Amino acid sequence: MTDTQWPRFMVFQQSELDEPFVHNGTVHAPDPEMALMNARDVYYRRPKAEAMWVVPAESIFSVTLEEQTSKEWQQEAEGAGIEKEFHVFAKFSHQGQCEQIGIVSANSHEAAMRLAIETYTDKQVLWWWVFPSDAVMASEAEDTSSMYDPSLEFDYKSQAAYPVVTMMRQIHAKGKLEE
Amino acid sequence: MYGASVDDFDLDQEENPEQLANFEARIARGEKIEPGDWMPSEYRRQLIRMISQHAHSEVVGMLPEGAWITKAPTLRRKLILIAKVQDEAGHGQYLYHAAETLGATREEMLDALLEGKAKYSSIFNYPTLTWADIGTIGWLVDGAAIMNQTMLARCSYGPYSRAMVRICMEENFHKKQGQEMVILLSQGTPDQKAMIQDAITRWWWPTLMMFGPHDSDSPNTPILQKWGIKTRSNDELRQDFINQLVPDLQALGITLPDPDLHYDDESENWITGPIDWDEFWRVIKGDGPVNKERMAARRKAHDDGLWVREALQAYAEKQAAEAMPA
Ligand SMILES: [Fe+2]
Ligand SMILES: [Fe+2]
């Protein structure tokens, strides 16, 4: 049984402290702490990140524009649980990805979704995500430098470190590289 | 699993002409299809097939280059190669994720690979014989992959397209570090020149095969183009690649192993001789130079990692037990 895959966690990245968290992908891990470590290795091999979240995939409720009009999920919106905070994420452009836009307080995922759609009406949203804020495992501020800074020094991981266009231009023009 | 969460799939969606027309109109408008949106089951099937094969290729693609990490000639070249191989591991992860959003599980994909049932790019079943192969792979193999991946970055399925955007950024580093090596070797000592000539001679034809069979033998292409998964055909991409590479390789004094290669003024294309498709199919079907070694190495890596997975699992269980109120 240890040879099977673990639960999925969604990975979110914050590039600058005043920017929203943005969805990046997923990792599998036995627990949130390990998910955070895997996410760092898989998604942050290059600059630049300030912080990272992992959220169990099963705790995220999503509604696409196409699903928004369907009645199915809206009927379940009358939850009876305790009110708590939900993060709201939205995708605004077809090329884009889901990014953090705010927080609502609700007693179920569906109620949070309905509230989000009613609250954030100023922009056309193509895809909505909500998840309870207590489902988030965040990287610690004190770990930021040890987790993300080392990659700042790896200049060779960037294509800019290889002047091949210039080299080829010299060879086409003179038949050899300039000294 | 939660309601219509991103993990939720309605695999038995009834297909009706109205939904299909709406779906195709969305693609025609350039919209991205996201998990949860209605899609024809054939669209889902084709994407799972393509994305999982692509993921396997990234993972198996670590092996030919990984073999040279300990033999890199300088510390800088070693660091570059480690970073590149690590990127390929990441690419495999991004792509498995994209396939999972369509309902494929990671277990079934990994099992298919380890059991030898899954396909991956034929190019990785050729051996890396010298250090010059590492530069050649970067420029030619990653360069060919970029042609394909740049196209896929515009594909109609959101998660696949986003994975490709990220991958393309990193691939440009792979291609350029390889091209720099090829340039330097081609301008080096007689031994270095001979080594790079030999590497290009061996990798040239297998690289051209990476783009897949001719359009006339690619039955999936029309439907993939119609649904915006591919926007260009195998032959178009291959021709672009040849046109880009031939003038540069010739300028470096490298001879390509193709007596029929010539420039066609009318079409403004470099025209190659015939590709040996028998070789391509033989390698795809498991009879390439190192298919068995690649799969054995992959299985060994998976088995050797078992104790790590067990340890992580035990740690997670212990933490969970301690967190329980006494
Ligand atoms: Fe890659
Ligand atoms: Fe690559």
Side-chain angles (χ1 to χ4, degrees), chain A residues 71-131:
Chain A
K71 292 283 167 283
E72 271 173 48
W73 68 269
Q74 295 187 20
Q75 279 161 5
E76 290 172 48
E78 310 305 327
I82 308 155
E83 282 231 333
K84 57 179 175 178
E85 275 187 354
F86 283 81
H87 286 291
V88 180
F89 277 63
K91 190 182 98 152
F92 297 111
S93 75
H94 281 286
Q95 306 302 325
Q97 38 206 343
C98 275
E99 60 177 69
Q100 181 186 26
I101 57 169
I103 283 176
V104 294
S105 191
N107 59 8
S108 73
H109 281 72
E110 289 84 358
M113 181 63 76
R114 202 179 48 189
L115 198 55
I117 294 171
E118 287 166 7
T119 309
Y120 301 100
T121 51
D122 51 330
K123 283 189 204 152
Q124 164 94 326
V125 171
L126 300 168
W127 201 13
W128 295 95
W129 290 16
V130 296
F131 49 88

Short mmCIF file of all heavy atoms in Angstrom, two decimals, chain A residues 71-131:
data_model
loop_
_atom_site.label_atom_id
_atom_site.label_comp_id
_atom_site.label_asym_id
_atom_site.label_seq_id
_atom_site.Cartn_x
_atom_site.Cartn_y
_atom_site.Cartn_z
N LYS A 71 -27.92 24.56 -12.35
CA LYS A 71 -28.62 24.67 -11.07
C LYS A 71 -28.11 23.66 -10.05
O LYS A 71 -28.33 23.79 -8.86
CB LYS A 71 -30.13 24.45 -11.28
CG LYS A 71 -30.80 25.57 -12.06
CD LYS A 71 -31.03 26.79 -11.18
CE LYS A 71 -31.41 28.01 -12.00
NZ LYS A 71 -30.24 28.63 -12.69
N GLU A 72 -27.40 22.63 -10.54
CA GLU A 72 -27.06 21.51 -9.66
C GLU A 72 -26.36 21.92 -8.38
O GLU A 72 -26.78 21.57 -7.29
CB GLU A 72 -26.17 20.52 -10.41
CG GLU A 72 -26.97 19.47 -11.15
CD GLU A 72 -26.08 18.60 -12.01
OE1 GLU A 72 -25.05 18.14 -11.49
OE2 GLU A 72 -26.43 18.40 -13.19
N TRP A 73 -25.29 22.66 -8.51
CA TRP A 73 -24.52 22.99 -7.31
C TRP A 73 -25.21 24.06 -6.49
O TRP A 73 -25.07 24.12 -5.28
CB TRP A 73 -23.09 23.39 -7.66
CG TRP A 73 -22.95 24.69 -8.41
CD1 TRP A 73 -22.93 24.85 -9.75
CD2 TRP A 73 -22.81 25.99 -7.84
NE1 TRP A 73 -22.79 26.17 -10.07
CE2 TRP A 73 -22.71 26.89 -8.91
CE3 TRP A 73 -22.75 26.49 -6.53
CZ2 TRP A 73 -22.56 28.26 -8.72
CZ3 TRP A 73 -22.61 27.85 -6.35
CH2 TRP A 73 -22.52 28.72 -7.44
N GLN A 74 -26.00 24.92 -7.16
CA GLN A 74 -26.64 26.03 -6.43
C GLN A 74 -27.70 25.52 -5.45
O GLN A 74 -27.93 26.12 -4.41
CB GLN A 74 -27.25 27.01 -7.40
CG GLN A 74 -26.19 27.69 -8.25
CD GLN A 74 -26.75 28.80 -9.10
OE1 GLN A 74 -27.81 29.33 -8.83
NE2 GLN A 74 -26.03 29.15 -10.13
N GLN A 75 -28.30 24.38 -5.79
CA GLN A 75 -29.32 23.84 -4.89
C GLN A 75 -28.73 23.43 -3.55
O GLN A 75 -29.41 23.38 -2.55
CB GLN A 75 -30.01 22.64 -5.55
CG GLN A 75 -31.08 23.10 -6.53
CD GLN A 75 -31.46 22.01 -7.51
OE1 GLN A 75 -30.99 20.88 -7.40
NE2 GLN A 75 -32.31 22.35 -8.46
N GLU A 76 -27.44 23.10 -3.58
CA GLU A 76 -26.79 22.67 -2.33
C GLU A 76 -26.25 23.85 -1.53
O GLU A 76 -25.57 23.67 -0.54
CB GLU A 76 -25.65 21.70 -2.64
CG GLU A 76 -26.15 20.36 -3.14
CD GLU A 76 -25.01 19.48 -3.61
OE1 GLU A 76 -24.02 19.37 -2.86
OE2 GLU A 76 -25.11 18.94 -4.72
N ALA A 77 -26.54 25.05 -2.00
CA ALA A 77 -25.92 26.22 -1.38
C ALA A 77 -26.45 26.52 0.01
O ALA A 77 -25.87 27.30 0.75
CB ALA A 77 -26.08 27.44 -2.27
N GLU A 78 -27.56 25.91 0.40
CA GLU A 78 -28.10 26.16 1.74
C GLU A 78 -27.39 25.25 2.75
O GLU A 78 -27.92 24.24 3.15
CB GLU A 78 -29.61 25.89 1.77
CG GLU A 78 -30.40 26.56 0.67
CD GLU A 78 -30.18 28.07 0.62
OE1 GLU A 78 -29.96 28.67 1.69
OE2 GLU A 78 -30.21 28.64 -0.49
N GLY A 79 -26.19 25.60 3.14
CA GLY A 79 -25.46 24.79 4.11
C GLY A 79 -25.94 25.08 5.52
O GLY A 79 -26.59 26.09 5.77
N ALA A 80 -25.61 24.19 6.44
CA ALA A 80 -26.03 24.41 7.82
C ALA A 80 -24.83 24.36 8.76
O ALA A 80 -25.00 24.30 9.97
CB ALA A 80 -27.06 23.37 8.22
N GLY A 81 -23.60 24.36 8.21
CA GLY A 81 -22.40 24.26 9.04
C GLY A 81 -22.07 25.57 9.73
O GLY A 81 -22.82 26.55 9.66
N ILE A 82 -20.92 25.57 10.39
CA ILE A 82 -20.46 26.78 11.07
C ILE A 82 -19.82 27.71 10.03
O ILE A 82 -19.16 27.24 9.11
CB ILE A 82 -19.40 26.42 12.14
CG1 ILE A 82 -19.95 25.32 13.05
CG2 ILE A 82 -18.97 27.65 12.92
CD1 ILE A 82 -18.90 24.48 13.72
N GLU A 83 -20.05 29.01 10.19
CA GLU A 83 -19.45 29.98 9.27
C GLU A 83 -17.93 29.97 9.40
O GLU A 83 -17.41 29.94 10.51
CB GLU A 83 -19.96 31.39 9.58
CG GLU A 83 -21.34 31.64 9.05
CD GLU A 83 -21.41 32.93 8.22
OE1 GLU A 83 -20.60 33.86 8.46
OE2 GLU A 83 -22.27 32.98 7.35
N LYS A 84 -17.25 29.98 8.25
CA LYS A 84 -15.79 30.17 8.29
C LYS A 84 -15.34 30.90 7.04
O LYS A 84 -16.12 31.13 6.12
CB LYS A 84 -15.06 28.85 8.48
CG LYS A 84 -15.36 27.78 7.46
CD LYS A 84 -14.51 26.55 7.80
CE LYS A 84 -14.84 25.38 6.89
NZ LYS A 84 -14.00 24.21 7.19
N GLU A 85 -14.04 31.22 7.04
CA GLU A 85 -13.48 31.98 5.91
C GLU A 85 -13.17 31.07 4.73
O GLU A 85 -12.63 29.98 4.91
CB GLU A 85 -12.16 32.63 6.35
CG GLU A 85 -12.32 33.94 7.04
CD GLU A 85 -10.95 34.60 7.27
OE1 GLU A 85 -9.92 33.96 6.99
OE2 GLU A 85 -10.95 35.75 7.73
N PHE A 86 -13.47 31.58 3.54
CA PHE A 86 -13.08 30.87 2.30
C PHE A 86 -12.26 31.81 1.42
O PHE A 86 -12.64 32.98 1.25
CB PHE A 86 -14.33 30.45 1.52
CG PHE A 86 -15.02 29.24 2.09
CD1 PHE A 86 -15.88 29.37 3.18
CD2 PHE A 86 -14.81 27.98 1.53
CE1 PHE A 86 -16.52 28.26 3.70
CE2 PHE A 86 -15.45 26.87 2.05
CZ PHE A 86 -16.31 27.00 3.15
N HIS A 87 -11.16 31.29 0.88
CA HIS A 87 -10.42 32.06 -0.13
C HIS A 87 -11.15 31.95 -1.46
O HIS A 87 -11.67 30.88 -1.80
CB HIS A 87 -9.00 31.50 -0.31
CG HIS A 87 -8.10 31.85 0.82
ND1 HIS A 87 -7.68 33.14 1.04
CD2 HIS A 87 -7.54 31.09 1.79
CE1 HIS A 87 -6.89 33.15 2.10
NE2 HIS A 87 -6.80 31.93 2.58
N VAL A 88 -11.17 33.06 -2.19
CA VAL A 88 -11.78 33.07 -3.51
C VAL A 88 -10.68 33.29 -4.54
O VAL A 88 -9.90 34.25 -4.43
CB VAL A 88 -12.83 34.20 -3.63
CG1 VAL A 88 -13.47 34.18 -5.02
CG2 VAL A 88 -13.88 34.06 -2.54
N PHE A 89 -10.62 32.41 -5.53
CA PHE A 89 -9.68 32.54 -6.64
C PHE A 89 -10.47 32.61 -7.94
O PHE A 89 -11.56 32.03 -8.03
CB PHE A 89 -8.72 31.32 -6.70
CG PHE A 89 -7.54 31.45 -5.77
CD1 PHE A 89 -7.72 31.51 -4.40
CD2 PHE A 89 -6.24 31.51 -6.28
CE1 PHE A 89 -6.64 31.63 -3.53
CE2 PHE A 89 -5.15 31.63 -5.43
CZ PHE A 89 -5.34 31.69 -4.06
N ALA A 90 -9.94 33.32 -8.93
CA ALA A 90 -10.66 33.45 -10.19
C ALA A 90 -9.70 33.51 -11.36
O ALA A 90 -8.57 34.01 -11.23
CB ALA A 90 -11.51 34.71 -10.17
N LYS A 91 -10.15 33.00 -12.50
CA LYS A 91 -9.38 33.11 -13.74
C LYS A 91 -10.08 34.11 -14.64
O LYS A 91 -11.27 33.99 -14.92
CB LYS A 91 -9.31 31.74 -14.44
CG LYS A 91 -8.33 31.71 -15.61
CD LYS A 91 -8.32 30.36 -16.32
CE LYS A 91 -9.20 30.42 -17.55
NZ LYS A 91 -8.80 29.50 -18.63
N PHE A 92 -9.34 35.14 -15.06
CA PHE A 92 -9.96 36.25 -15.80
C PHE A 92 -9.76 36.17 -17.31
O PHE A 92 -10.56 36.69 -18.06
CB PHE A 92 -9.38 37.59 -15.31
CG PHE A 92 -9.69 37.87 -13.88
CD1 PHE A 92 -8.69 37.85 -12.92
CD2 PHE A 92 -10.99 38.12 -13.48
CE1 PHE A 92 -8.98 38.10 -11.60
CE2 PHE A 92 -11.30 38.37 -12.15
CZ PHE A 92 -10.28 38.35 -11.20
N SER A 93 -8.65 35.57 -17.75
CA SER A 93 -8.43 35.53 -19.20
C SER A 93 -8.22 34.07 -19.60
O SER A 93 -7.83 33.24 -18.77
CB SER A 93 -7.19 36.34 -19.57
OG SER A 93 -6.02 35.63 -19.21
N HIS A 94 -8.48 33.80 -20.87
CA HIS A 94 -8.34 32.42 -21.32
C HIS A 94 -6.92 31.91 -21.18
O HIS A 94 -6.70 30.74 -20.88
CB HIS A 94 -8.87 32.27 -22.75
CG HIS A 94 -10.36 32.18 -22.77
ND1 HIS A 94 -11.03 31.06 -22.36
CD2 HIS A 94 -11.29 33.10 -23.07
CE1 HIS A 94 -12.33 31.28 -22.43
NE2 HIS A 94 -12.52 32.52 -22.85
N GLN A 95 -5.94 32.79 -21.38
CA GLN A 95 -4.53 32.37 -21.27
C GLN A 95 -4.09 32.29 -19.81
O GLN A 95 -3.03 31.74 -19.53
CB GLN A 95 -3.61 33.36 -22.01
CG GLN A 95 -3.98 33.61 -23.46
CD GLN A 95 -4.00 32.34 -24.29
OE1 GLN A 95 -3.20 31.45 -24.06
NE2 GLN A 95 -4.93 32.24 -25.22
N GLY A 96 -4.86 32.89 -18.91
CA GLY A 96 -4.40 33.06 -17.53
C GLY A 96 -4.58 31.84 -16.66
O GLY A 96 -4.97 30.77 -17.12
N GLN A 97 -4.25 32.00 -15.37
CA GLN A 97 -4.52 30.94 -14.41
C GLN A 97 -5.26 31.53 -13.21
O GLN A 97 -5.38 32.74 -13.09
CB GLN A 97 -3.25 30.23 -13.97
CG GLN A 97 -2.04 31.11 -13.80
CD GLN A 97 -0.77 30.31 -14.00
OE1 GLN A 97 -0.78 29.10 -13.96
NE2 GLN A 97 0.34 31.00 -14.21
N CYS A 98 -5.75 30.66 -12.34
CA CYS A 98 -6.55 31.14 -11.21
C CYS A 98 -5.68 31.93 -10.25
O CYS A 98 -4.61 31.49 -9.85
CB CYS A 98 -7.19 29.96 -10.49
SG CYS A 98 -8.73 29.46 -11.25
N GLU A 99 -6.16 33.11 -9.84
CA GLU A 99 -5.43 33.92 -8.88
C GLU A 99 -6.34 34.40 -7.78
O GLU A 99 -7.57 34.48 -7.93
CB GLU A 99 -4.75 35.10 -9.58
CG GLU A 99 -5.72 36.03 -10.29
CD GLU A 99 -5.00 37.23 -10.91
OE1 GLU A 99 -4.27 37.00 -11.88
OE2 GLU A 99 -5.18 38.35 -10.41
N GLN A 100 -5.71 34.72 -6.66
CA GLN A 100 -6.41 35.09 -5.44
C GLN A 100 -7.11 36.44 -5.62
O GLN A 100 -6.49 37.40 -6.07
CB GLN A 100 -5.34 35.21 -4.36
CG GLN A 100 -5.79 35.55 -2.98
CD GLN A 100 -4.57 35.77 -2.09
OE1 GLN A 100 -3.48 36.13 -2.57
NE2 GLN A 100 -4.74 35.54 -0.80
N ILE A 101 -8.41 36.51 -5.29
CA ILE A 101 -9.06 37.82 -5.36
C ILE A 101 -9.68 38.27 -4.04
O ILE A 101 -9.98 39.44 -3.88
CB ILE A 101 -10.12 37.90 -6.49
CG1 ILE A 101 -11.19 36.83 -6.32
CG2 ILE A 101 -9.47 37.82 -7.85
CD1 ILE A 101 -12.38 37.05 -7.26
N GLY A 102 -9.88 37.39 -3.10
CA GLY A 102 -10.45 37.87 -1.83
C GLY A 102 -10.89 36.74 -0.93
O GLY A 102 -10.56 35.58 -1.14
N ILE A 103 -11.65 37.14 0.09
CA ILE A 103 -12.11 36.18 1.11
C ILE A 103 -13.60 36.41 1.34
O ILE A 103 -14.06 37.56 1.35
CB ILE A 103 -11.32 36.38 2.43
CG1 ILE A 103 -9.92 35.77 2.30
CG2 ILE A 103 -12.05 35.80 3.62
CD1 ILE A 103 -9.04 36.00 3.50
N VAL A 104 -14.35 35.33 1.47
CA VAL A 104 -15.75 35.47 1.90
C VAL A 104 -15.95 34.58 3.12
O VAL A 104 -15.16 33.68 3.39
CB VAL A 104 -16.75 35.04 0.79
CG1 VAL A 104 -16.68 35.99 -0.41
CG2 VAL A 104 -16.53 33.59 0.37
N SER A 105 -17.01 34.86 3.85
CA SER A 105 -17.34 34.07 5.02
C SER A 105 -18.64 33.32 4.75
O SER A 105 -19.63 33.94 4.36
CB SER A 105 -17.50 35.04 6.21
OG SER A 105 -17.56 34.30 7.39
N ALA A 106 -18.62 32.01 4.90
CA ALA A 106 -19.80 31.22 4.56
C ALA A 106 -19.79 29.91 5.34
O ALA A 106 -18.79 29.56 5.97
CB ALA A 106 -19.83 30.94 3.06
N ASN A 107 -20.91 29.17 5.29
CA ASN A 107 -20.97 27.93 6.06
C ASN A 107 -20.88 26.67 5.18
O ASN A 107 -21.03 25.56 5.67
CB ASN A 107 -22.22 27.89 6.94
CG ASN A 107 -23.49 28.00 6.12
OD1 ASN A 107 -23.45 27.96 4.90
ND2 ASN A 107 -24.62 28.16 6.80
N SER A 108 -20.65 26.84 3.87
CA SER A 108 -20.40 25.68 3.01
C SER A 108 -19.66 26.16 1.77
O SER A 108 -19.64 27.35 1.47
CB SER A 108 -21.71 25.01 2.59
OG SER A 108 -22.37 25.81 1.62
N HIS A 109 -19.06 25.20 1.06
CA HIS A 109 -18.36 25.55 -0.17
C HIS A 109 -19.32 26.21 -1.17
O HIS A 109 -18.99 27.22 -1.80
CB HIS A 109 -17.76 24.30 -0.83
CG HIS A 109 -16.49 23.82 -0.20
ND1 HIS A 109 -16.44 23.22 1.03
CD2 HIS A 109 -15.21 23.86 -0.64
CE1 HIS A 109 -15.19 22.90 1.31
NE2 HIS A 109 -14.41 23.27 0.31
N GLU A 110 -20.54 25.64 -1.29
CA GLU A 110 -21.48 26.17 -2.28
C GLU A 110 -21.93 27.58 -1.91
O GLU A 110 -22.05 28.44 -2.78
CB GLU A 110 -22.70 25.25 -2.41
CG GLU A 110 -22.42 23.93 -3.10
CD GLU A 110 -21.87 22.88 -2.13
OE1 GLU A 110 -21.67 23.19 -0.92
OE2 GLU A 110 -21.64 21.75 -2.59
N ALA A 111 -22.16 27.77 -0.62
CA ALA A 111 -22.58 29.11 -0.18
C ALA A 111 -21.46 30.12 -0.42
O ALA A 111 -21.70 31.25 -0.85
CB ALA A 111 -22.97 29.08 1.30
N ALA A 112 -20.21 29.67 -0.18
CA ALA A 112 -19.07 30.55 -0.42
C ALA A 112 -18.98 30.89 -1.90
O ALA A 112 -18.71 32.04 -2.28
CB ALA A 112 -17.78 29.88 0.04
N MET A 113 -19.23 29.91 -2.74
CA MET A 113 -19.17 30.14 -4.19
C MET A 113 -20.24 31.14 -4.61
O MET A 113 -19.97 32.08 -5.36
CB MET A 113 -19.36 28.80 -4.92
CG MET A 113 -19.29 28.88 -6.42
SD MET A 113 -17.67 29.42 -7.04
CE MET A 113 -16.67 27.94 -6.82
N ARG A 114 -21.45 30.94 -4.12
CA ARG A 114 -22.54 31.84 -4.50
C ARG A 114 -22.24 33.27 -4.06
O ARG A 114 -22.41 34.23 -4.79
CB ARG A 114 -23.86 31.36 -3.87
CG ARG A 114 -25.09 31.87 -4.59
CD ARG A 114 -26.34 31.34 -3.94
NE ARG A 114 -26.29 31.52 -2.49
CZ ARG A 114 -27.18 31.01 -1.65
NH1 ARG A 114 -28.18 30.27 -2.10
NH2 ARG A 114 -27.08 31.21 -0.35
N LEU A 115 -21.71 33.38 -2.85
CA LEU A 115 -21.37 34.69 -2.30
C LEU A 115 -20.25 35.35 -3.11
O LEU A 115 -20.30 36.55 -3.40
CB LEU A 115 -20.94 34.50 -0.84
CG LEU A 115 -20.93 35.71 0.07
CD1 LEU A 115 -22.30 36.39 0.08
CD2 LEU A 115 -20.55 35.27 1.50
N ALA A 116 -19.26 34.53 -3.49
CA ALA A 116 -18.14 35.06 -4.29
C ALA A 116 -18.67 35.62 -5.61
O ALA A 116 -18.29 36.72 -6.02
CB ALA A 116 -17.12 33.96 -4.55
N ILE A 117 -19.53 34.87 -6.25
CA ILE A 117 -20.05 35.30 -7.56
C ILE A 117 -20.87 36.58 -7.41
O ILE A 117 -20.81 37.47 -8.26
CB ILE A 117 -20.87 34.15 -8.21
CG1 ILE A 117 -19.94 32.98 -8.56
CG2 ILE A 117 -21.60 34.64 -9.47
CD1 ILE A 117 -20.65 31.71 -9.01
N GLU A 118 -21.60 36.70 -6.29
CA GLU A 118 -22.39 37.92 -6.05
C GLU A 118 -21.50 39.10 -5.69
O GLU A 118 -21.81 40.25 -6.01
CB GLU A 118 -23.38 37.69 -4.90
CG GLU A 118 -24.55 36.81 -5.27
CD GLU A 118 -25.31 36.34 -4.01
OE1 GLU A 118 -25.00 36.82 -2.89
OE2 GLU A 118 -26.18 35.48 -4.18
N THR A 119 -20.38 38.80 -5.01
CA THR A 119 -19.53 39.88 -4.49
C THR A 119 -18.62 40.48 -5.55
O THR A 119 -18.52 41.69 -5.69
CB THR A 119 -18.65 39.35 -3.32
OG1 THR A 119 -19.50 38.69 -2.39
CG2 THR A 119 -17.91 40.49 -2.65
N TYR A 120 -17.97 39.59 -6.32
CA TYR A 120 -16.96 40.08 -7.26
C TYR A 120 -17.57 40.16 -8.65
O TYR A 120 -17.37 39.30 -9.49
CB TYR A 120 -15.73 39.18 -7.23
CG TYR A 120 -15.12 39.10 -5.86
CD1 TYR A 120 -15.37 38.02 -5.01
CD2 TYR A 120 -14.33 40.15 -5.39
CE1 TYR A 120 -14.83 37.97 -3.74
CE2 TYR A 120 -13.78 40.10 -4.11
CZ TYR A 120 -14.04 39.01 -3.29
OH TYR A 120 -13.51 38.96 -2.04
N THR A 121 -18.33 41.19 -8.87
CA THR A 121 -19.09 41.28 -10.12
C THR A 121 -18.41 42.19 -11.15
O THR A 121 -18.87 42.31 -12.27
CB THR A 121 -20.50 41.84 -9.87
OG1 THR A 121 -20.34 43.04 -9.10
CG2 THR A 121 -21.36 40.86 -9.13
N ASP A 122 -17.32 42.85 -10.74
CA ASP A 122 -16.75 43.87 -11.62
C ASP A 122 -16.03 43.31 -12.84
O ASP A 122 -15.88 43.98 -13.84
CB ASP A 122 -15.81 44.80 -10.83
CG ASP A 122 -14.78 44.01 -10.03
OD1 ASP A 122 -15.10 42.88 -9.61
OD2 ASP A 122 -13.67 44.52 -9.83
N LYS A 123 -15.54 42.06 -12.75
CA LYS A 123 -14.81 41.52 -13.89
C LYS A 123 -15.48 40.23 -14.37
O LYS A 123 -16.11 39.52 -13.60
CB LYS A 123 -13.37 41.18 -13.49
CG LYS A 123 -12.47 42.39 -13.38
CD LYS A 123 -11.03 41.93 -13.20
CE LYS A 123 -10.20 43.00 -12.51
NZ LYS A 123 -9.08 42.47 -11.74
N GLN A 124 -15.30 39.95 -15.66
CA GLN A 124 -15.78 38.69 -16.21
C GLN A 124 -14.87 37.56 -15.72
O GLN A 124 -13.67 37.57 -15.96
CB GLN A 124 -15.73 38.77 -17.74
CG GLN A 124 -15.83 37.45 -18.44
CD GLN A 124 -17.25 37.09 -18.84
OE1 GLN A 124 -18.21 37.42 -18.15
NE2 GLN A 124 -17.40 36.43 -19.96
N VAL A 125 -15.44 36.60 -15.00
CA VAL A 125 -14.65 35.50 -14.47
C VAL A 125 -14.97 34.23 -15.25
O VAL A 125 -16.12 33.89 -15.48
CB VAL A 125 -14.94 35.30 -12.96
CG1 VAL A 125 -14.27 34.02 -12.46
CG2 VAL A 125 -14.42 36.50 -12.17
N LEU A 126 -13.91 33.51 -15.67
CA LEU A 126 -14.07 32.31 -16.47
C LEU A 126 -14.08 31.04 -15.62
O LEU A 126 -14.60 30.01 -16.02
CB LEU A 126 -12.94 32.21 -17.50
CG LEU A 126 -12.86 33.38 -18.48
CD1 LEU A 126 -11.55 33.34 -19.25
CD2 LEU A 126 -14.03 33.36 -19.43
N TRP A 127 -13.47 31.14 -14.43
CA TRP A 127 -13.36 29.94 -13.60
C TRP A 127 -13.21 30.40 -12.16
O TRP A 127 -12.35 31.23 -11.85
CB TRP A 127 -12.11 29.15 -14.03
CG TRP A 127 -12.10 27.70 -13.64
CD1 TRP A 127 -13.14 26.97 -13.16
CD2 TRP A 127 -10.97 26.81 -13.70
NE1 TRP A 127 -12.74 25.67 -12.94
CE2 TRP A 127 -11.42 25.55 -13.27
CE3 TRP A 127 -9.64 26.96 -14.09
CZ2 TRP A 127 -10.58 24.44 -13.21
CZ3 TRP A 127 -8.80 25.85 -14.03
CH2 TRP A 127 -9.27 24.59 -13.60
N TRP A 128 -14.07 29.91 -11.30
CA TRP A 128 -14.05 30.26 -9.87
C TRP A 128 -13.55 29.09 -9.05
O TRP A 128 -13.92 27.95 -9.30
CB TRP A 128 -15.47 30.56 -9.37
CG TRP A 128 -16.14 31.75 -9.96
CD1 TRP A 128 -17.01 31.76 -11.02
CD2 TRP A 128 -16.08 33.10 -9.48
NE1 TRP A 128 -17.47 33.05 -11.24
CE2 TRP A 128 -16.91 33.87 -10.31
CE3 TRP A 128 -15.38 33.72 -8.43
CZ2 TRP A 128 -17.07 35.24 -10.13
CZ3 TRP A 128 -15.54 35.08 -8.25
CH2 TRP A 128 -16.38 35.83 -9.10
N TRP A 129 -12.74 29.39 -8.03
CA TRP A 129 -12.35 28.38 -7.05
C TRP A 129 -12.60 28.96 -5.65
O TRP A 129 -12.30 30.13 -5.42
CB TRP A 129 -10.85 28.06 -7.11
CG TRP A 129 -10.38 27.32 -8.33
CD1 TRP A 129 -11.03 27.16 -9.52
CD2 TRP A 129 -9.12 26.66 -8.48
NE1 TRP A 129 -10.26 26.45 -10.40
CE2 TRP A 129 -9.08 26.13 -9.79
CE3 TRP A 129 -8.02 26.47 -7.64
CZ2 TRP A 129 -7.98 25.41 -10.27
CZ3 TRP A 129 -6.93 25.76 -8.13
CH2 TRP A 129 -6.91 25.23 -9.43
N VAL A 130 -13.13 28.14 -4.75
CA VAL A 130 -13.17 28.54 -3.34
C VAL A 130 -12.64 27.39 -2.48
O VAL A 130 -12.82 26.22 -2.83
CB VAL A 130 -14.60 28.92 -2.85
CG1 VAL A 130 -15.12 30.16 -3.56
CG2 VAL A 130 -15.57 27.77 -2.98
N PHE A 131 -11.95 27.74 -1.40
CA PHE A 131 -11.53 26.72 -0.43
C PHE A 131 -11.38 27.37 0.94
O PHE A 131 -11.05 28.55 1.05
CB PHE A 131 -10.24 26.01 -0.86
CG PHE A 131 -9.11 26.92 -1.27
CD1 PHE A 131 -8.20 27.42 -0.32
CD2 PHE A 131 -8.94 27.27 -2.61
CE1 PHE A 131 -7.15 28.24 -0.71
CE2 PHE A 131 -7.88 28.09 -3.00
CZ PHE A 131 -7.00 28.58 -2.05
#
